[in-house]
Amino acid sequence: MGTLVAVGAPALAKSGAGHARSATAITQVFGDGIRLTAVAVAYDTPIQGTNLSPASFQVEGRTVTGAFTSTSADPADRAASGHFVIVTLSPADTNALLAEKITPPGDNKTGATPGSSAGSNGRGGPGNAGDIPFYDTTYKLPRATLFQTGPLETIHDQRVAASNTALTTTMVKNPIVDDFRQLEFHDAKTGKTLRYNLFVPKGYDPKRTYPLVLFMHDAGATSDVTRTTLYQGLGAIAWASPQDQAQRPAFVLAPQYAEIIADDDGHTSAMLDTTIDLIEELASRYSIDRRRLYATGQSGGCMMSIAMGIKFPDFFAASFLVAGQWDPALVKPLVRQKLWILVSQDDDKAFPGENAITEVLARNGAKISRATWDGTWTAKQFRTAFDKIDAQGSPINYVTFAKGSVIPPGASTAGASGHRNTWRIAYTIEPIREWIFRQHR
């Protein structure tokens, strides 16, 4: 420790200044879930960022990848100096992911969980619409223990000496997630109560109108913990990011369903009508443009999006359908709608299901553009591919990920891997979000 201090200390710095006051765990949501990705350390004197080194910090059980100064515990407030040092951690660490799976009681042998292949309806699905499943996923509290193993330079040319005292996080900051409000809707029409997350555009001005995006999670995120749908992936988070909101200010609605909302037998729960009623209530309370309501969902949420489009064909201006299927005999009302459909060729249920749906739509006069993309592409490659299919000007675009291209290296291609990995990538493709917002009813 003494050697680190001697080597790392600025030549002209004075010793004995300041100390760390507290630490905040910082999370980030990825396509496959929320991870602990940084620790913000608060100091009682401003730290100089010029000579700051990640080698000056260690975090138990984690890989430190960087360090920079900030004016707050938010990494977005990065600055040349500040009272906070943001210590970044590798999201690839095995313990970075905060989701934890729980084995259902009395089912240690099969380990059947919502969204698995051992569903209660006997057809390989998650259960029947309206069922309240075992909630198989929990999210542990982000927590980290940090050591300042090297000296830091303050803006007053003094030194914050290294210390062997552990600093454990006592607060949590969840960028973007924390911008959503957790609320409940009591539907007088159906008698149902629905928990939901609502993002209201920053600087909301009731004198102007805003679009609204509805995101509906898959069966695996079924829970009575309201934030679960925000923790699970990017389906809601992507639309509320500072970058997206700067270009496309919008409300983002992410219901948290405590029951299975759609099943493989073509049934939906009463939450279909309750969700529509919630949107109507929000549109009456806020300045929301009813001509620019958009729906999206993954797996079960995709199925619910399709069912909504069938029952209320004039409600949404466009839908982004990710890794779902439905009875093709029922989808004719979608013919005149604006749809972006995305599925992996490795998905043994949704891929043939979407093929059947688009065949019905095409037979009934729908103009459909088709393309096969590679799930490993860069953002630039996705943009190029998007521009090519978008130039055809079709109201329905059907894109499939090439076989094997969405499966992470070393992962199995069996079961629902192609299914889950479709939505891991889907909401990272910004041009599709742009396309959705271009559509008006």
Side-chain angles (χ1 to χ4, degrees):
M1 194 73 70
T3 301
L4 285 173
V5 172
V7 172
L12 301 177
K14 301 175 184 178
S15 62
H19 66 278
R21 293 180 294 152
S22 62
T24 300
I26 301 173
T27 65
Q28 181 180 346
V29 179
F30 294 79
D32 61 353
I34 191 169
R35 297 170 183 262
L36 173 60
T37 56
V39 176
V41 185
Y43 288 88
D44 58 9
T45 188
I47 303 299
Q48 178 59 254
T50 306
N51 298 315
L52 194 60
S53 169
S56 294
F57 298 92
Q58 291 180 2
V59 177
E60 286 186 353
R62 297 299 303 272
T63 304
V64 174
T65 58
F68 60 87
T69 47
S70 176
T71 58
S72 77
D74 190 338
D77 292 331
R78 181 170 184 161
S81 63
H83 279 278
F84 294 81
V85 174
I86 308 296
V87 180
T88 59
L89 309 174
S90 172
D93 287 344
T94 55
N95 55 347
L97 194 63
L98 299 176
E100 294 182 314
K101 286 290 184 182
I102 304 172
T103 302
D107 199 21
N108 293 330
K109 183 179 292 186
T110 64
T113 57
S116 75
S117 60
S120 62
N121 65 359
R123 294 181 53 193
N128 298 313
D131 287 353
I132 299 178
F134 175 78
Y135 304 141
D136 75 322
T137 304
T138 62
Y139 291 86
K140 58 188 175 184
L141 181 69
R143 192 177 182 87
T145 299
L146 176 142
F147 295 87
Q148 183 194 316
T149 55
L152 308 180
E153 180 184 354
T154 75
I155 62 171
H156 303 300
D157 197 26
Q158 294 177 312
R159 186 180 68 198
V160 178
S163 172
N164 59 3
T165 301
L167 186 63
T168 301
T169 56
T170 57
M171 296 170 283
V172 179
K173 185 172 184 59
N174 306 288
I176 306 179
V177 169
D178 290 341
D179 294 330
F180 281 79
R181 306 173 186 178
Q182 284 67 57
L183 303 162
E184 286 189 0
F185 173 58
H186 305 283
D187 189 359
K189 293 182 181 179
T190 65
K192 297 286 187 177
T193 296
L194 175 58
R195 296 181 179 91
Y196 66 98
N197 302 275
L198 181 67
F199 177 89
V200 177
K202 293 181 179 179
Y204 166 70
D205 181 359
K207 294 180 181 179
R208 59 176 293 191
T209 59
Y210 298 81
L212 178 144
V213 179
L214 165 68
F215 168 74
M216 293 175 285
H217 60 74
D218 61 281
T222 306
S223 173
D224 58 358
V225 178
T226 310
R227 278 188 166 189
T228 300
T229 184
L230 304 180
Y231 293 155
Q232 189 211 19
L234 294 171
I237 298 297
W239 313 86
S241 72
Q243 296 82 4
D244 274 50
Q245 287 289 315
Q247 300 178 61
R248 300 174 289 275
F251 283 79
V252 184
L253 171 62
Q256 182 57 58
Y257 298 110
E259 64 188 45
I260 300 299
I261 57 174
D263 62 34
D264 288 348
D265 293 317
H267 302 134
T268 59
S269 78
M271 284 299 155
L272 188 154
D273 290 314
T274 294
T275 304
I276 295 295
D277 292 341
L278 170 57
I279 295 172
E280 291 282 10
E281 194 274 337
L282 292 174
S284 67
R285 192 195 327 165
Y286 294 100
S287 184
I288 293 173
D289 189 346
R290 293 174 184 268
R291 299 172 305 133
R292 293 186 293 162
L293 303 175
Y294 307 107
T296 184
Q298 57 198 37
S299 191
C302 175
M303 294 159 70
M304 182 67 108
S305 297
I306 295 171
M308 285 178 171
I310 292 170
K311 187 170 184 178
F312 301 99
D314 298 319
F315 195 80
F316 294 104
S319 297
F320 181 22
L321 308 178
V322 181
Q325 70 276 340
W326 203 242
D327 184 347
L330 304 176
V331 301
K332 188 176 178 180
L334 303 181
V335 168
R336 303 302 172 198
Q337 296 184 31
K338 297 171 183 177
L339 310 173
W340 194 289
I341 305 169
L342 186 63
V343 69
S344 169
Q345 294 177 10
D346 286 305
D347 193 327
D348 59 4
K349 290 173 63 176
F351 179 47
E354 292 293 3
N355 286 339
I357 288 173
T358 53
E359 287 172 8
V360 169
L361 299 181
R363 285 201 304 268
N364 284 276
K367 180 184 178 183
I368 306 175
S369 291
R370 304 170 187 267
T372 299
W373 292 358
D374 189 315
T376 66
W377 279 346
T378 63
K380 184 177 180 180
Q381 289 172 310
F382 278 126
R383 171 69 67 177
T384 299
F386 168 83
D387 289 342
K388 185 175 181 180
I389 190 173
D390 185 46
Q392 299 175 40
S394 297
I396 300 177
N397 295 285
Y398 181 32
V399 174
T400 63
F401 283 132
K403 199 169 184 62
S405 72
V406 302
I407 311 298
S412 170
T413 58
S417 185
H419 197 63
R420 292 190 300 269
N421 282 292
T422 300
W423 69 66
R424 177 178 61 86
I425 301 167
Y427 294 99
T428 69
I429 306 174
E430 184 183 12
I432 298 179
R433 301 198 298 278
E434 292 177 1
W435 184 88
I436 292 293
F437 276 106
R438 292 205 320 250
Q439 314 309 312
H440 293 74
R441 184 166 58 79

